[in-house]
Amino acid sequence: MLLKRLLFAGLISLLTLSSFAKEKQRPNILLITADDLSWDSLGCMGNPIEGLTPNLDKMAADGLIIEHCFISTPICGPSRTALYTGRHPHTSGYMGHGVQPPTWWRKNGGKFPKKSITSELHKSGYLTGIVGKHGTSVCKFDEKFCDYQQTGFGRDHNKYSSFVKDFLARAKKENKPFYLAANTHDPHHYWPRSKGENKRWFDQGMRTTDWKAYDNGKPYPDPLTQYKPEEIVLPASYPDDINFKKEATLYFDGVNRMDQIIGGILKELDESGMADNTLVIFLSDHGMPWQMGKWSLYPSGTRTPLLMRWPAQIKPGRREKNAIVSAVDIAPTLADICGIDAIQGVDGKSFATLAKTENSRWNRNFAFSTFNYMNNNKPQDQLAPEYSTDLYQKTEQYRPSRALNNTRFSYVWNGWADGDAQLPKEMGGAVSHLLNKHSKNQLDKNYPDYKKRAKFMKFRAPEELYDIVKDPGCRNNLAKNPEYRPVLEKIRKNMTQLLKETEDHELENYKSVL
């Protein structure tokens, strides 16, 4: 009997040690996102502004840069939901702000997903946490640190670092692999030292008038930089014009503060001793908050740098220039890497082999992106309780667009652009204002006519095609150019197939233009 007990105890010990060893082999995940960051606003992505993003540049040098990653939709909540669930907005139902999913989507049999990468990792034994910008309702976190008072309006590097340090200590103490989503609010509006940064805004965001201020009178520090207009290099979508650069200096200061926050997070990881087996991923939720960027499906709105650092698996200094990755691929990739069951119903696919291996067989010809709603508030939702092909005429907040992007071409279909419909005022902003304001004295003679460009940004065109190698700013629409007709026809076939595969409600609308 004693011998049996000893053997049984020994077996339990071996199983425990085996389980622990297996647990120790499972990689940790640190997913870092920026808010409203243009793909070309990092030094490692070619931006020449001095001292802009030293921490992310080092992270890139220590790992892998995938140059052509595209988000699923250029609007905050839906973009992050697509990231966590691996589903495009029209398949998850989360298509904009306000009432989501819309009433008509539910009536048509749509069901919001019940699983995300965080819920499944949590179920498999991961310690899960989030700091900064929120997740989505299907996420499962053991620790949340999202309140503005906790994060200093999402802009205080000291508070981020403190939370990360404590979270990593808990993971180590509990002998658990961890998943941590760390989301900065920079460079989202309001930008550093702008007029919008005022006591009223702080009180609203902090939800109290009794908050502790730094010496600058704000609930967070100012950036380390204070750029001058002459130092600024704007994305190709905008004029090379000092008047535009003056407006954008504060954006780039916000980019620098974002990088400072991320540097603090990575420092805590390195000092924890767990960095070697931690996969760190960085990307943005969409482009900068200017027209042609945020809320738009051009590369300036949907393309994001995708940085990956994993010392145990990824060789430093790698750069993928030709691979196309979608943000909906990230959730299935993490499930694959972490050894959990594949999440059913996702629109993405795992690119784990691409991350780990150079010259892998990963193949994606285009990345698919969508736009549906801006603000589907309750009155707007009630205006259109049923879906119809003329939905965009019933509510100005619904502006259906679809896009395919790769390393050579950007194709956009605007199902609402009939010559009369306009984008909602909320999707306007500084660029069209500056274009109209300075149209009589256009400084960038190589840019399209300022007034005509401002009008185009408001009304768009039914179909748009751009050769982004020759025209990275998407200024010259080739959709009606006979020379590019074969390209257009091929992309149309790809788009039709994708809309069918994802059961897109706009399929019939799209087919009507072919």
Side-chain angles (χ1 to χ4, degrees), residues 1 29 53 94 105 175 260 263 278 284 311 321 354-355 378 402 419 425 433 460 466 473:
M1 181 65 72
I29 306 297
T53 53
Y94 201 146
W105 188 86
N175 287 321
Q260 185 183 7
T278 299
S284 179
K321 295 184 177 182
L354 175 67
K378 193 171 182 179
R402 303 292 184 264
K425 292 180 180 179
H433 170 74
R460 304 296 167 94
Y466 302 97

Side-chain angles (χ1 to χ4, degrees), residues 322-458:
N322 298 314
I324 306 295
V325 169
S326 169
V328 295
D329 297 327
I330 292 177
T333 299
L334 293 181
D336 189 2
I337 286 174
C338 295
I340 63 174
D341 292 340
I343 305 172
Q344 298 302 308
V346 298
D347 296 313
K349 56 185 180 179
S350 172
F351 61 92
T353 55
L354 175 67
K356 295 179 180 180
T357 310
E358 294 182 70
N359 303 314
S360 75
R361 294 185 178 181
W362 170 258
N363 182 34
R364 182 184 282 287
N365 295 322
F366 287 93
F368 175 58
S369 300
T370 78
F371 190 89
N372 294 280
Y373 283 96
M374 181 61 189
N375 296 314
N376 187 42
N377 54 37
K378 193 171 182 179
Q380 293 287 337
D381 188 63
Q382 292 173 343
L383 284 174
E386 306 286 344
Y387 175 76
S388 59
T389 55
D390 62 347
L391 180 60
Y392 78 92
Q393 295 177 333
K394 297 177 180 178
T395 167
E396 66 169 7
Q397 296 293 319
Y398 182 71
R399 292 292 180 258
S401 296
R402 303 292 184 264
L404 291 175
N405 285 290
N406 66 10
T407 60
R408 179 66 190 275
F409 293 104
S410 178
Y411 171 79
V412 181
W413 169 72
N414 299 303
W416 57 273
D418 58 7
D420 294 319
Q422 304 178 25
L423 288 174
K425 292 180 180 179
E426 297 94 323
M427 294 172 66
V431 177
S432 56
H433 170 74
L434 289 170
L435 288 170
N436 285 316
K437 181 179 179 181
H438 299 288
S439 61
K440 292 182 179 179
N441 184 28
Q442 181 166 335
L443 297 183
D444 186 350
K445 305 301 181 184
N446 294 318
Y447 195 79
D449 180 85
Y450 280 13
K451 267 198 173 302
K452 290 181 180 179
R453 192 63 174 166
K455 184 178 180 180
F456 169 80
M457 290 180 182
K458 185 182 294 186

